[in-house]
Amino acid sequence: MTAPYGSHTLVPTGMLDTDGRAWMADVKTEAEKIGETIKRARRLSGRSQSNVAAALGYHQSKLSRLESGRGTDDIRVLRAVAAELRIPPHLLGLSYADVSAAPHPDDPETEDMRRRTFLAASIASLTTPATPATAAHDDLVRSLLPGPRAATASSWNGEIQPLRDRLTTARRLFCTCDYAELEAMLPGLITDLRRAADDHRNAEETAGLLATAYRTSTSLLLKQGDQGNAWLAVGRAMAEAERSGDPVVLASSVRLHAHVLTREKHTAQAVTLVRHTAGQLAGSYDRHSSRYLAAVGLLLLRGATAASRGGDRAATREFLDEAREVARYVALDQPDDWANFSPTNVAIHAVSASVSFGDAGIALNAAAPLMRRHIPAPEHRAALWVEAARAYSQQGRLAEGYQALRIAETCAAQDVRRPAVRDLVADMAARDRRRTLPELHHFSRRLGVPA
């Protein structure tokens, strides 16, 4: 088998002499040639990087790395690219034997190998620890991968309405923070939606439903701290959103893309993405449906989060002001798919932005009236109290921060167990060196936070 090019990890330790450096230079040159071949084939096919990457189930950055000559240490990636772009194998450093010897895609062991390979690559590329593997989590990741879908039994009977109903249930499970049940539900739903898409009836609507399912998967994976597989899910969501032709579906998928970028600290790119997309959808708010307004409003709030995490006060203010303008025309405040944008949600994001800037006093003053307000969506209630806990922690008021977290737990117990909140609890417990708050340390142990 021909070794994949561009893989520096394959260099023996004894080859770092002059001849070894020359060998490395040759490999790099070959990787660049492969990259140019891929780029040329893609352009001749009239396709974008994001389109090809989505078809392969990768994030655009993986294809960009290949085309720029940085190579890959996974020969399966080269096989997949060769097949997708119809590139003769030898032009990518592959022999025809490599391709003919590849396992059959319908083989269940092949599907398991793909899943293990992708999970390993995801873990290796992340600084954030991945979610502990569970059967439900593995099933979800498998359902996101391209290729055969025989691993999950299909219950689709050819009707679209049951799929709409199941997707509504999935979105409600997310909004009510029932993540365990949602994770168990999503693989079967995605499998059935993909089969419906293969049927080619109601193609645009089915693409929109599938984009929403992938988007929900992205949100869940981000809650679990699994950024690697979130990239996979959001790439699939963006591809289906474009196929749907629905600006609302596209705006919602862009919002999740910006969320993933922000998590990976690419805040400037997230701000640019949101600003570009929102600019195309903004204005004439009195003429649009609540569904449209909610999608635009939530997109703007994601921009505010990205801008505040990046320390950009002007952009944060710009996004929040525009979101408030949208909120004048929609006052939906229910735990529903589209009905989770409201003036209340805008106010909670303003609190979060103040916390990001270290303005704890301003954040708590803004949070005070919200704490007395009925907020129907459990996720929003929990978010408010978690942000209050962050503000209290910034002021060194650990006891009040702990109480805020306990309230958040009563709102959405599973949401408080996500990695970001666990990190906050760990920080607060570490700062209580004299252990004057035993209940905080007990809480920390209950959440499984290392001492």
Side-chain angles (χ1 to χ4, degrees), residues 292-322:
Y292 182 100
L293 296 175
V296 175
L298 291 171
L299 177 64
L300 291 165
L301 292 182
R302 181 52 55 198
T305 299
S308 62
R309 298 284 173 84
D312 189 338
R313 289 182 181 269
T316 302
R317 190 179 308 111
E318 170 193 337
F319 285 127
L320 287 174
D321 287 347
E322 190 67 19

Side-chain angles (χ1 to χ4, degrees), residues 47 78 251:
R47 299 171 66 180
L78 295 178

Side-chain angles (χ1 to χ4, degrees), residues 124-206:
S125 67
L126 297 176
T127 55
T128 304
T131 301
T134 64
H137 192 77
D138 286 353
D139 287 343
L140 175 58
V141 173
R142 185 186 292 112
S143 73
L144 299 172
L145 295 172
R149 298 175 286 284
T152 303
S154 174
S155 61
W156 183 56
N157 62 2
E159 299 294 326
I160 292 294
Q161 187 57 47
L163 296 178
R164 295 191 195 103
D165 295 340
R166 288 166 63 190
L167 188 57
T168 298
T169 299
R171 290 297 305 158
R172 185 167 285 112
L173 287 173
F174 180 80
C175 292
T176 55
C177 304
D178 194 345
Y179 303 137
E181 186 173 348
L182 174 62
E183 187 170 51
M185 177 186 184
L186 279 171
L189 176 59
I190 290 172
T191 295
D192 289 346
L193 283 169
R194 291 178 68 178
R195 292 190 185 280
D198 290 343
D199 190 54
H200 302 299
R201 289 179 291 176
N202 304 309
E204 292 182 353
E205 180 185 5
T206 305

